[in-house]
Amino acid sequence: MKNLIAIDDLNKSEILSIVKRAEVHIKNELKVTGSLEGSTVVTLFFEESTRTRMSFEMAARKLSLGVLTFSKSTSSMTKGESLRDTIATFESFGVNALIVRHSSAGVPKQISEWTDLAVINAGDGAHSHPSQALLDIVAFRSAIKGEIPNIGSFSRKDPDDFSGLKIGIVGDILHSRVARSVARAFSKLGGEVILCGPPTLLPNFWQEFQMVTDLDSVISEFDLVMPLRLQLERASGGFIPSLSEFRHRYGLTTDRVEKIKDSALILHPGPMNRGVEIDSLVPNDPRALVNFQVRVGVPTRMAILEHCLKRDYENE
Amino acid sequence: MNDAPLVIKGGYVIDNHGLGRSDIAISPEGLITQCENDIEISSDQRVIDASGLYISPGFVDLHTHLREPGNSEAETIVSGTRKAALGGFTTVVAMPNTSPSIDCTSMVHEIRALAKLAVINVEIASAITLERKGEGLVNMKAMADLGVVMFTDDGNGVQDSSIMDKALSYAGELGVVVAQHLETNSISTGGLANLGPISQRLGIPGIPASSEEIMLARDLILLKNRNAKYHAQHISTSGSLEIIEIAKQRGLKFTCEVTPHHLFLDDSLVEKFNPIYKVNPPLRGTMDINEMRRGLLEGTIDAIATDHAPHTLEAKEKSFSEAPCGIESLDIALGIILKTFGLDIKDQIDAGKFVRVIDALTTRPRNIISKSRQTSLLSVGARGDLAIFSLDEKKEVAKERISPYGGLNFFGKVIYTICGGKVVVENGVGNW
Ligand SMILES: [Zn+2]
């Protein structure tokens, strides 16, 4: 039983083994033998996200896992039951893994201190979203390997090593758990990560990665460009003067996309604010993996569940 | 009143004047009657053998949350003062952020009544503004007449500069202390941990140092034109120390305090996302901690105050964003501080540092809240309030305790606490 709270829980070879397992699932069209049948997972989404929750639940069903769904609004937590009591209840049901999403950074980590069950982070505050980062790697590698129809110009000798590649994450880095996880994951595989956004939305004290405020000065160097979803309330919060100013300086507009290398790729963690961080037509650009990215969600999460639950079975 | 007169024999004596050897005699009325070597013992006197132990004035905590009334599941005046006594404190200043707040004379009477059962002295702080809302001033004169020693909206800073100016003006006339919880809400709101590399790497919303420093600078600017006693509570940043150094060098008279946790714990601990490390002001970076230590040793920072802020277990098991702020340390403050300054190894003690640290727990905080300045708390005629501690014995903190200090142990165990001549802690155990 293993936790997956943040990308830092994984070393490079563990990242690659999860990613390669996901690739096997894609190749086999999600058909699995020797499954995890008999185990049960519960999705505890204190912050609602139908898309991510269903992706995990589908992944679990493909592995013949039992699935329980916890919803904060209908549970006794609204009657004052504490987080810890809720976890204890699921422990008593005999579930094997908790898939947790919460608006507050750190809750999956806290829960992991209270229980021996596997805890899988499905996104917590601005902290971490490891499954998203791993599926981005799966999508990126598929493109590198020329496995995606119509996207083939990017060829590399070694899809296990990203050294020499520049990954640009663009937009509201400060509030983004996706940015934190993607930056970590790609750099663990050797990539050079550059965080780009308005100065008010860059975590300037965090000195692990290069930070750039002028997107146009660096965009032509990127091998992968990832615009982040911009929460529309950032404008009213004074972080940016206006959404149109943000689009003008940091949006992947049709004009700006012209500056991106022909061999580069565009990933968006979704859901998109079309016309803000990405123009409507850009997802149709031949370099954009946006549609493919959605399809790798389930196989990647299958591989994560196997990674976290597998040892149970080996011990039997 | 004590049954028998006391003589404490054979210990080392430490206060703001230095470290030495002396016996101390205390009358049944609770006052020090003799302070000299080799006091002769009469048969009616009770003798406390303090050989190998250190005797200091009882500690004075300027910043204690006793939680009563309003949250007696977390703490009561009785339970909080017992913890304080076990830590060598003989006086605590009860903060007014109770529920309801201490903001009127009837609340002062209520706290006084509850404090009759306290084992040590409880001084009372009143809010500056009604319900601590930062709007209308409390009736400062009536509260001062009742012996309230401090005014603070602690838990909140007074945001409105004009209200703060008026509070300083009013307090100046009355000669009472106005103390400030330094926090600029427009900057700090939403923040949960020190703004810095650690919070940004973890994605925890940050509280910038400027939240504290802007209010401190503002208050000192206001103070220039007001003849008031001003006290900056729980300072935590190197920038605050810098502001204080400049202002004090220019002759502005005011005082400030630092907590044991801002001297001892740094913000890397929030990596565990455990709300036991959630406190306001937040744990800061190592540079800030080093500056707090320097400021304390140099005397720029006057006092150590615990900001003892207990919460129930349930409250501290919430998410990091929902859990309340606060660390409690009354019973272990001495050990934490001695360890911080390397004063916990008996053979290697730097006497100068030791004297300064004890001064910051005793004479200086006492003088901040006293009407008349006392030069020595260990002299004939002074109150028989003493802390007697050992540097050979460790105080162990239970592992299960909901505290950053759980599972640690500290040299500097309090063996006796004597309050008004009464032995309230004996052999490290409460006499209650
Ligand atoms: Zn405070």
Side-chain angles (χ1 to χ4, degrees):
Chain A
M1 206 86 88
K2 293 191 192 99
N3 297 326
L4 181 56
I5 311 283
I7 289 295
D8 280 349
D9 295 338
L10 304 171
N11 58 32
K12 182 180 172 179
S13 73
E14 286 171 312
I15 291 176
L16 286 173
S17 85
I18 292 172
V19 163
K20 286 176 181 173
R21 181 68 179 160
E23 289 164 359
V24 170
H25 290 318
I26 294 170
K27 212 161 106 201
N28 296 341
E29 295 175 326
L30 312 188
K31 288 190 182 64
V32 189
T33 51
S35 68
L36 296 169
E37 199 171 342
S39 289
T40 301
V41 299
V42 51
T43 51
L44 292 121
F45 277 45
F46 300 96
E47 175 189 76
E48 214 26 85
S49 165
T50 311
R51 206 175 62 134
T52 307
R53 183 170 53 76
M54 286 187 161
S55 173
F56 267 112
E57 290 178 356
M58 185 55 126
R61 286 181 204 285
K62 289 283 177 191
L63 295 167
S64 311
L65 287 161
V67 178
L68 294 177
T69 303
F70 168 90
S71 151
K72 193 185 169 187
S73 54
T74 56
S75 84
S76 53
M77 262 194 89
T78 49
K79 297 180 208 128
E81 188 189 60
S82 77
L83 192 57
R84 192 164 185 168
D85 292 339
T86 305
I87 303 309
T89 305
F90 282 106
E91 238 174 356
S92 72
F93 290 173
V95 305
N96 304 79
L98 307 170
I99 300 166
V100 182
R101 189 182 183 100
H102 202 285
S103 58
S104 171
V107 169
K109 173 82 180 162
Q110 272 180 289
I111 289 175
S112 72
E113 301 287 330
W114 297 332
T115 179
D116 293 328
L117 305 179
V119 178
I120 298 170
N121 186 357
D124 62 328
H127 174 227
S128 172
H129 196 359
S131 66
Q132 178 70 45
L134 292 170
L135 75 86
D136 288 339
I137 289 179
V138 172
F140 188 53
R141 278 167 53 97
S142 301
I144 291 177
K145 294 195 285 184
E147 289 170 358
I148 305 173
N150 307 324
I151 300 181
S153 63
F154 200 129
S155 64
R156 271 182 64 82
K157 290 190 294 288
D158 185 2
D160 293 356
D161 182 6
F162 293 174
S163 56
L165 297 180
K166 283 194 179 179
I167 293 99
I169 308 174
V170 182
D172 183 1
I173 312 291
L174 187 67
H175 301 96
S176 175
R177 56 188 169 216
V178 173
R180 284 181 178 78
S181 288
V182 167
R184 275 286 158 70
F186 278 81
S187 70
K188 280 203 172 192
L189 295 185
E192 182 188 347
V193 174
I194 295 158
L195 306 175
C196 181
T200 48
L201 293 173
L202 287 177
N204 297 324
F205 289 95
W206 186 30
Q207 302 197 325
E208 211 171 310
F209 299 101
Q210 194 188 330
M211 296 196 205
V212 173
T213 53
D214 182 1
L215 176 59
D216 289 320
S217 70
V218 285
I219 194 163
S220 60
E221 299 168 21
F222 291 158
D223 298 295
L224 171 64
V225 190
M226 181 182 284
L228 298 169
R229 177 180 168 81
L230 184 82
Q231 300 292 329
L232 300 180
E233 65 268 20
R234 298 296 172 228
S236 54
F239 287 98
I240 49 172
S242 68
L243 293 177
S244 64
E245 199 262 7
F246 179 85
R247 174 178 173 267
H248 180 68
R249 293 186 66 193
Y250 300 102
L252 280 201
T253 58
T254 359
D255 287 347
R256 188 167 277 124
V257 164
E258 296 296 311
K259 299 181 191 167
I260 299 175
K261 282 188 207 170
D262 285 344
S263 63
L265 297 165
I266 300 166
L267 278 168
H268 189 299
M272 288 179 274
N273 287 312
R274 291 179 191 250
V276 183
E277 75 271 357
I278 191 162
D279 274 10
S280 286
L281 293 175
V282 173
N284 303 332
D285 188 285
R287 293 163 292 181
L289 295 174
V290 178
N291 297 316
F292 183 75
Q293 210 177 348
V294 181
R295 292 212 301 272
V296 298
V298 172
T300 305
R301 290 181 173 113
M302 288 167 72
I304 289 169
L305 289 169
E306 289 174 303
H307 168 83
C308 291
L309 287 166
K310 213 161 51 190
R311 202 186 302 164
D312 259 354
Y313 291 83
E314 287 166 358
N315 290 347
E316 263 176 22
Chain B
M1 207 172 282
N2 197 36
D3 300 329
L6 275 177
V7 181
I8 299 129
K9 279 198 80 75
Y12 302 98
V13 170
I14 181 158
D15 71 354
N16 54 318
H17 295 293
L19 176 62
R21 270 187 181 280
S22 174
D23 297 345
I24 294 174
I26 301 173
S27 69
E29 291 74 32
L31 298 176
I32 295 177
T33 51
Q34 278 172 289
C35 203
E36 58 201 53
N37 279 317
D38 304 317
I39 294 176
E40 289 203 18
I41 301 159
S42 57
S43 58
D44 65 330
Q45 281 172 321
R46 182 184 162 192
V47 179
I48 288 178
D49 178 10
S51 35
L53 302 179
Y54 293 83
I55 307 163
S56 87
F59 305 147
V60 177
D61 188 19
L62 295 177
H63 201 136
T64 312
H65 296 278
L66 293 172
R67 301 293 188 219
E68 196 178 19
N71 189 8
S72 47
E73 307 90 71
E75 195 78 284
T76 62
I77 291 178
V78 167
S79 68
T81 53
R82 285 178 176 181
K83 288 177 191 168
L86 288 170
F89 289 89
T90 53
T91 299
V92 294
V93 179
M95 290 293 108
N97 65 334
T98 47
S99 184
S101 316
I102 305 172
D103 62 357
C104 60
T105 53
S106 63
M107 281 301 294
V108 175
H109 290 302
E110 185 180 336
I111 302 296
R112 282 266 156 74
L114 291 166
K116 287 215 168 80
L117 296 171
V119 293
I120 56 164
N121 309 305
V122 176
E123 298 288 358
I124 298 174
S126 156
I128 296 170
T129 65
L130 295 166
E131 297 176 57
R132 300 168 44 252
K133 281 184 175 166
E135 292 161 6
L137 291 185
V138 302
N139 190 341
M140 284 187 156
K141 167 82 171 113
M143 310 280 264
D145 288 347
L146 284 178
V148 162
V149 296
M150 180 187 282
F151 290 83
T152 172
D153 276 1
D154 186 54
N156 299 330
V158 178
Q159 303 298 309
D160 186 314
S161 304
S162 166
I163 293 287
M164 189 59 193
D165 190 38
K166 291 177 180 103
L168 289 170
S169 164
Y170 224 93
E173 186 224 339
L174 299 170
V176 293
V177 182
V178 178
Q180 183 78 282
H181 165 106
L182 300 162
E183 180 175 5
T184 308
N185 291 352
S186 62
I187 291 176
S188 69
T189 298
L192 301 171
N194 182 39
L195 179 73
I198 289 158
S199 64
Q200 289 199 328
R201 177 164 60 77
L202 298 172
I204 303 176
I207 302 174
S210 60
S211 164
E212 175 174 315
E213 293 157 10
I214 286 172
M215 185 168 283
L216 174 63
R218 178 204 69 178
D219 285 355
L220 296 180
I221 290 165
L222 295 173
L223 187 65
K224 275 205 295 191
N225 299 313
R226 300 293 177 198
N227 186 28
K229 286 187 180 173
Y230 175 78
H231 179 71
Q233 293 176 298
H234 46 52
I235 65 160
S236 67
T237 74
S238 56
S240 289
L241 182 64
E242 193 181 358
I243 292 166
I244 288 166
E245 282 174 334
I246 293 168
K248 284 192 171 183
Q249 274 159 20
R250 293 198 183 167
L252 199 62
K253 294 263 181 290
F254 64 99
T255 55
C256 63
E257 69 188 29
V258 64
T259 69
H261 45 271
H262 290 113
L263 289 165
F264 189 69
L265 304 172
D266 70 60
D267 63 348
S268 67
L269 293 161
V270 302
E271 208 158 316
K272 299 175 182 170
F273 289 106
N274 189 333
I276 60 174
Y277 301 107
K278 188 178 174 189
V279 65
N280 187 15
L283 299 180
R284 302 287 188 183
T286 46
M287 202 258 272
D288 294 305
I289 291 179
N290 289 335
E291 283 293 274
M292 291 302 104
R293 292 175 180 178
R294 182 179 67 81
L296 196 275
L297 288 180
E298 290 177 2
T300 316
I301 300 174
D302 300 86
I304 296 166
T306 67
D307 195 5
H308 177 82
H311 291 287
T312 59
L313 172 65
E314 296 73 50
K316 280 290 192 186
E317 279 183 351
K318 293 184 171 181
S319 70
F320 201 82
S321 66
E322 291 164 316
C325 295
I327 291 175
E328 55 171 293
S329 62
L330 272 174
D331 57 330
I332 47 176
L334 173 68
I336 297 165
I337 295 157
L338 294 179
K339 196 183 187 83
T340 297
F341 292 102
L343 296 167
D344 54 343
I345 303 160
K346 205 175 178 181
D347 307 330
Q348 300 168 18
I349 285 176
D350 176 328
K353 270 191 196 177
F354 196 14
V355 166
R356 172 73 268 272
V357 162
I358 294 297
D359 181 32
L361 279 167
T362 57
T363 314
R364 284 251 215 146
R366 163 65 61 203
N367 278 326
I368 289 170
I369 54 170
S370 291
K371 286 255 181 261
S372 57
R373 191 171 174 77
Q374 287 162 282
T375 52
S376 176
L377 301 179
L378 289 183
S379 56
V380 175
R383 215 147 74 180
D385 292 352
L386 302 176
I388 303 176
F389 54 92
S390 166
L391 292 181
D392 300 307
E393 275 187 72
K394 278 186 169 182
K395 176 112 174 176
E396 298 193 3
V397 188
K399 219 172 159 191
E400 315 76 57
R401 181 153 154 187
I402 304 304
S403 157
Y405 309 111
L408 301 181
N409 48 60
F410 298 97
F411 283 108
K413 183 175 177 178
V414 173
I415 310 296
Y416 295 95
T417 304
I418 297 168
C419 185
K422 209 170 179 161
V423 183
V424 291
V425 171
E426 191 163 355
N427 297 320
V429 180
N431 241 339
W432 43 72

